[in-house]
Amino acid sequence: MWEKWFNKKNEKIATENIVEQGNLPQHVAIIMDGNGRWAKRKGLPRTFGHRAGVESLRHIVTTAVNMNLKVLTTYAFSTENWKRPEDEVNLLMRLFSEYLESEIDELHQKNVQIRFIGKIDELATALQQKVEKAQIHTANNTGLVFNLAVNYGGRAEIVRSVQMIGEKVARGEILPGDISEKSIMENLYTASLPDPDLIIRPSGDFRISNFLLWQSAYAEFWFTDIYWPDFKPDHFLQAIVDYQKRERRFGGLKK
């Protein structure tokens, strides 16, 4: 069934025999990186890279839907990205807005439930409204859960969780001794979802960049030198294939 994604010479894989439907990761997360460097390599403004990156995202979401993946989380804009030039930040915000306008109906038709994680309340009011509308519009969909991390930081997420628990302690609802890993997890943005099984990082960097710090404790990582705008469905499926070859012990021993 995956044959249609592999049409480049020397990149084709007999995926029907390799991709194990019973061993798919439940949750795949992607650090979408390398847009600016992709554009620079081509002698183009960084803005061209970000627009090309949106096209890659569109194809990867479609692939995730077609393979019946349960959860896909993509890192679109971090809490640290506000340090970038103002014109680049403004373009990224416009791209988020355009993406919601152009893609939401198709995502809804594909039974995708879109969620935004991060400090959404710090975004422009108009963009917040579009985010809320998209989430409400797709809330009852039962297919792929697509998390888009915008103004997101892993440390900030953990701090937020601890603050929410602290408020319960202050109100006398729980005791400090009642705080556990479970209670912290219940107050994360991803509380109702499984932790990522696989985290993909394009662009040649080998760091987590403040992404899903709590949730990635036992995630498998897959790195590639390919910049995000050049990241195709065949690369995505290759990451899945490689994941399926790994032995996951979660700190224990193989039985």
Side-chain angles (χ1 to χ4, degrees):
M1 67 181 289
W2 306 109
E3 192 74 17
K4 61 182 177 179
W5 296 115
F6 291 80
N7 53 18
K8 291 184 178 180
K9 189 176 181 181
N10 298 326
E11 290 184 328
K12 189 171 181 179
I13 299 175
T15 50
E16 286 189 16
N17 297 324
I18 296 178
V19 174
E20 302 173 28
Q21 283 296 299
N23 188 28
L24 287 175
Q26 292 190 76
H27 184 172
V28 177
I30 305 176
I31 300 172
M32 301 185 294
D33 193 23
N35 293 343
R37 281 170 285 173
W38 178 89
K40 183 178 180 181
R41 187 179 63 183
K42 294 179 177 293
L44 300 170
R46 290 175 60 86
T47 54
F48 281 72
H50 293 309
R51 290 196 176 276
V54 172
E55 288 301 310
S56 290
L57 176 60
R58 180 177 292 112
H59 294 310
I60 297 308
V61 171
T62 298
T63 306
V65 170
N66 289 341
M67 69 192 305
N68 296 318
L69 193 68
K70 291 185 177 180
V71 185
L72 175 68
T73 300
T74 57
Y75 202 9
F77 191 87
S78 75
T79 50
E80 291 74 37
N81 285 156
W82 295 105
K83 301 173 185 176
R84 295 187 177 187
E86 184 177 357
D87 59 344
E88 182 174 347
V89 170
N90 290 338
L91 171 77
L92 287 167
M93 294 302 154
R94 285 199 303 273
L95 286 176
F96 297 146
S97 180
E98 291 172 8
Y99 183 83
L100 288 174
E101 290 179 355
S102 64
E103 302 298 317
I104 191 62
D105 288 338
E106 183 175 350
L107 290 172
H108 182 53
Q109 291 172 4
K110 292 179 177 178
N111 199 29
V112 174
Q113 182 185 134
I114 186 168
R115 302 183 186 181
F116 282 77
I117 62 175
K119 295 183 176 181
I120 306 303
D121 59 336
E122 294 181 355
L123 302 179
T125 301
L127 183 53
Q128 288 185 50
Q129 292 172 345
K130 288 185 178 182
V131 166
E132 183 179 8
K133 182 179 178 181
Q135 293 184 137
I136 292 173
H137 188 52
T138 63
N140 294 323
N141 290 343
T142 57
L144 175 73
V145 175
F146 174 35
N147 296 314
L148 198 57
V150 178
N151 196 22
Y152 172 87
R155 289 180 174 179
E157 180 182 26
I158 295 171
V159 169
R160 172 181 173 272
S161 175
V162 172
Q163 288 174 337
M164 293 171 72
I165 295 171
E167 291 173 358
K168 293 180 181 179
V169 172
R171 293 193 298 265
E173 296 177 11
I174 62 173
L175 296 173
D178 296 329
I179 299 173
S180 63
E181 289 188 13
K182 183 175 182 292
S183 57
I184 291 176
M185 291 172 62
E186 289 173 345
N187 288 284
L188 298 176
Y189 294 121
T190 56
S192 62
L193 302 173
D195 287 342
D197 300 295
L198 173 65
I199 296 179
I200 298 171
R201 173 123 199 188
S203 82
D205 288 328
F206 297 88
R207 56 179 178 267
I208 198 168
S209 296
N210 199 21
F211 182 50
L212 299 177
L213 296 180
W214 180 280
Q215 299 92 327
S216 64
Y218 279 100
E220 297 291 326
F221 283 80
W222 193 82
F223 299 99
T224 177
D225 291 335
I226 298 165
Y227 294 135
W228 176 245
D230 286 332
F231 191 88
K232 307 300 181 186
D234 48 1
H235 303 122
F236 185 67
L237 293 178
Q238 183 59 61
I240 302 291
V241 169
D242 287 351
Y243 162 84
Q244 292 181 331
K245 295 176 182 177
R246 300 185 187 183
E247 180 183 304
R248 305 187 74 198
R249 298 184 299 275
F250 299 95
L253 298 176
K254 184 178 179 181
K255 294 183 180 179

